[in-house]
Amino acid sequence: GSDIPIEGIPVRACSRCGGCTLYVRTRNMYFEQFGLNRPPFEETTNPTFFCETRTHRAILAEVLDCLRSHGGMIFVQGERGSGKSMLGQVLMQQLRECGKTLSLSLSAPDTNRVLERICAGFQLELPEQGTNEKWIARIVKTMTEESRTHGAILIDQAEHLGSDDIAALKDLSEAAIPAGLKLGIAMLASPEIENRLHPEGGGSLSTTSMRTVRLATLKRNEVAPYIETRLRAAGHVGKSPFTSAAIRRIATLAGGQPRRINEIAKHAMICASWHKTKSIGEEIVQFSGKESIAMDTIPAHQSDNKRRVPSVAKAPVNKPHDTAAHSLATSNVGRLESLVKRVDRKSVVEGKGV
């Protein structure tokens, strides 16, 4: 096989199973069925897909007030999949007019290297044997010269920050004040960040100058506008394919979490396209929600023989379909590599899958 990109995802194309060809057919089919020009429910930080709720407006107002007016540090906490990264991109769009800005997304290896990452983001030459004091002085000087009075730094996945990182950012924020720079630092983090701020055994950081706002899950009456926004951004025109009952069921199954809403809605649209129906009802959503949960709960260590895609024999729409192909299509297409490995190769080779 060879690596080929599908919607930006590298996938191992297997000449024996044809799983990638099947995925492309499935994707094109549901795009055409619902008049889409791009995936409506894939993970993205594109602000075009942003649906602003009352909670979002309140958080944006508070964070922007902090970053624009007096500077300082502010944490935006939310569970994984709650839409923090998307919110961060919307923030950056509104902050770019205020002065020099920088957006970073961290990973575990970045622990205790945040000042170095900021210097690299501003394309500053790193001082030899640099200390925190030297890095802070260089950052403040650069931002003061280029922004004059205002600047903002946004750090996504800030739960990867170490305690020393947070202390260094606090020093950076305070060092900007004598230079006449109102520097705002916004950190988007999952609740694990509390372990850094208040570690067991004492020694917690002083958080008197740090503010915290929390991003809640969507309310039931916000799920329909969220789905509609995503569909419109992907090119859908006209009435939503999801019935009112289907949306209520999505809200229940997903618990208001945007990432789960995306997964269930995506599965439902693929399932509906296989059955050639443009109306997505509660039964299809219920089935798609179970398929999504089943995929999430399959242990990763199990062998390919045991980790089969859940059966679709009891799909809600009573229409003849190929079990192997339908089972692949209604699974989580975002996890392509694992799905291609789990396709029943025998059925595909015999002509049943593609």
Side-chain angles (χ1 to χ4, degrees), residues 75 80 105-114 117 155-166 169 187-194 196:
F75 287 93
R80 286 184 171 85
S105 182
L106 302 182
S107 59
D110 292 316
T111 300
N112 297 324
R113 296 180 54 233
V114 67
R117 284 291 310 275
I155 302 175
D156 195 8
Q157 299 188 63
E159 63 270 14
H160 294 301
L161 291 171
S163 299
D164 292 342
D165 283 327
I166 299 174
L169 289 171
M187 288 160 282
L188 314 177
S190 59
E192 292 94 281
I193 192 67
E194 291 291 339
R196 307 286 195 276

Side-chain angles (χ1 to χ4, degrees), residues 226-278:
Y226 175 85
I227 290 175
E228 186 67 21
T229 298
R230 304 281 301 208
L231 288 171
R232 297 290 182 193
H236 179 74
V237 177
K239 184 180 178 181
S240 171
F242 292 90
T243 66
S244 298
I247 291 174
R248 288 194 296 271
R249 176 58 58 185
I250 291 174
T252 299
L253 293 173
Q257 189 190 65
R259 181 173 295 168
R260 291 287 296 133
I261 293 172
N262 292 343
E263 291 174 353
I264 296 170
K266 177 172 63 177
H267 287 180
M269 294 190 80
I270 293 174
C271 184
S273 69
W274 271 93
H275 293 297
K276 294 181 171 50
T277 175
K278 291 188 177 181

Side-chain angles (χ1 to χ4, degrees), residues 59-281:
I59 290 177
L60 284 168
E62 187 165 354
V63 174
L64 289 171
D65 175 67
C66 171
L67 301 186
R68 284 174 172 169
S69 58
H70 48 75
M73 297 175 65
I74 185 166
F75 287 93
V76 179
Q77 287 190 30
E79 298 290 342
R80 286 184 171 85
S82 60
K84 298 185 298 297
S85 297
M86 175 85 77
L87 184 68
Q89 291 305 307
V90 175
L91 273 170
M92 290 306 294
Q93 277 191 335
Q94 299 186 37
L95 285 170
R96 288 191 178 103
E97 62 191 39
C98 299
K100 193 168 184 65
T101 61
L102 175 66
S103 177
L104 298 176
S105 182
L106 302 182
S107 59
D110 292 316
T111 300
N112 297 324
R113 296 180 54 233
V114 67
L115 292 179
E116 184 179 338
R117 284 291 310 275
I118 293 174
C119 285
F122 283 136
Q123 298 182 333
L124 304 179
E125 183 179 349
L126 297 177
E128 294 183 7
Q129 299 179 345
T131 62
N132 282 2
E133 291 75 15
K134 289 182 179 180
W135 283 333
I136 288 172
R138 183 159 295 188
I139 294 168
V140 170
K141 181 180 178 182
T142 299
M143 297 192 75
T144 303
E145 290 174 348
E146 298 188 22
S147 345
R148 298 185 180 177
T149 59
H150 288 82
I153 297 173
L154 184 139
I155 302 175
D156 195 8
Q157 299 188 63
E159 63 270 14
H160 294 301
L161 291 171
S163 299
D164 292 342
D165 283 327
I166 299 174
L169 289 171
K170 188 169 181 291
D171 292 340
L172 173 60
S173 176
E174 293 174 351
I177 298 174
L181 174 66
K182 295 178 180 178
L183 174 60
I185 302 175
M187 288 160 282
L188 314 177
S190 59
E192 292 94 281
I193 192 67
E194 291 291 339
N195 297 331
R196 307 286 195 276
L197 298 175
H198 308 288
E200 294 184 7
S204 61
L205 292 167
S206 172
T207 57
T208 54
S209 60
M210 304 179 194
R211 296 160 64 181
T212 299
V213 294
R214 288 177 170 80
L215 181 59
T217 55
L218 297 178
K219 298 177 181 178
R220 292 184 67 87
N221 62 353
E222 294 172 338
V223 173
Y226 175 85
I227 290 175
E228 186 67 21
T229 298
R230 304 281 301 208
L231 288 171
R232 297 290 182 193
H236 179 74
V237 177
K239 184 180 178 181
S240 171
F242 292 90
T243 66
S244 298
I247 291 174
R248 288 194 296 271
R249 176 58 58 185
I250 291 174
T252 299
L253 293 173
Q257 189 190 65
R259 181 173 295 168
R260 291 287 296 133
I261 293 172
N262 292 343
E263 291 174 353
I264 296 170
K266 177 172 63 177
H267 287 180
M269 294 190 80
I270 293 174
C271 184
S273 69
W274 271 93
H275 293 297
K276 294 181 171 50
T277 175
K278 291 188 177 181
S279 178
I280 302 175

Side-chain angles (χ1 to χ4, degrees), residues 25 114 137 140 163 296 352 354:
R25 286 174 53 197
V114 67
V140 170
S163 299
D296 285 342
K352 298 178 182 178
V354 178

